[in-house]
Amino acid sequence: GSVAFVGAISALLAANFITSGIALQAQASIPIKSLKPALIFLTGLFLYDIYFVFLSPGGVMESVATSLEGPVKLLSPRAAAATAPGQYPFSILGLGDIVVPGLFVGLLKRIDEGVDGLGEKNTFFAAGMTGYGVGLLLTFLANILMHRGQPALLYIVPSLIAAALGTAAVTGRWEEVWGFNGEEAEEGMEGA
């Protein structure tokens, strides 16, 4: 009994470790350079996630996520009391729910570095991390309250966008942030 339990936990931790490594590598390999395409990308994946969880015949996303094995998702065991008989015993966070928001938060970090007067403050990065945390919290609360899988991007994307655009409005940096171009900022830093 206990040997099997330790083996299962070890396998779960190893799979989550590999998935985390893939997520970090993806984020380092795919920089997003400006806000406009980032918002289009996030919005598109937001709609995609909603469609394939709630509107597709048979809830395609949940059945794929629970049957697909491999380092494509983070798994967190559900409490026995929160798991109905025959229900998948894990909460799932797919790679897309990690990588895509991570790309956006990475852009916010580059905005902090590239917009004059922000530099070391990490204003947009902190807002993005907070937005991501709030989105994750809402996702897990919805899982608990509705007793079924939820499209994480349904909660994460609005939280991220509200955090980024709200911060731009509050700091009075809307024009600079909206017009930010990471390629130009990198060229300016290299020339300095």
Side-chain angles (χ1 to χ4, degrees):
S2 62
V3 173
F5 177 75
V6 170
I9 293 296
S10 297
L12 178 71
L13 291 174
N16 284 349
F17 181 77
I18 293 168
T19 301
S20 298
I22 292 169
L24 289 171
Q25 182 60 40
Q27 290 178 46
S29 303
I30 313 169
I32 296 177
K33 302 290 186 176
S34 67
L35 192 61
K36 293 171 199 165
L39 291 174
I40 292 168
F41 187 51
L42 277 176
T43 303
L45 289 174
F46 169 80
L47 296 172
Y48 170 90
D49 222 19
I50 292 170
Y51 174 78
F52 279 104
V53 172
F54 293 125
L55 304 174
S56 65
V60 171
M61 189 73 79
E62 192 170 358
S63 64
V64 168
T66 56
S67 64
L68 189 62
E69 295 301 324
V72 295
K73 57 192 173 190
L74 289 179
L75 297 172
S76 175
R78 290 185 185 177
T83 306
Q87 189 178 22
Y88 193 68
F90 299 102
S91 291
I92 300 170
L93 193 60
L95 265 178
D97 303 325
I98 303 164
V99 172
V100 174
L103 294 173
F104 188 75
V105 171
L107 169 65
L108 297 178
K109 175 68 174 161
R110 283 189 292 287
I111 288 172
D112 279 333
E113 294 167 350
V115 173
D116 289 336
L118 292 176
E120 302 280 324
K121 294 181 184 176
N122 291 324
T123 307
F124 285 90
F125 177 74
M129 289 299 291
T130 301
Y132 184 65
V134 167
L136 279 178
L137 180 64
L138 292 172
T139 301
F140 290 125
L141 285 173
N143 275 339
I144 292 166
L145 295 173
M146 296 182 194
H147 302 289
R148 68 169 293 208
Q150 297 293 308
L153 294 179
L154 172 64
Y155 306 96
I156 294 170
V157 169
S159 296
L160 276 175
I161 291 174
L165 299 185
T167 301
V170 168
T171 60
R173 301 288 187 147
W174 176 255
E175 293 290 327
E176 293 167 280
V177 171
W178 187 249
F180 178 79
N181 182 326
E183 289 177 5
E184 291 172 7
E186 287 173 10
E187 290 170 8
M189 285 181 198
E190 289 171 6

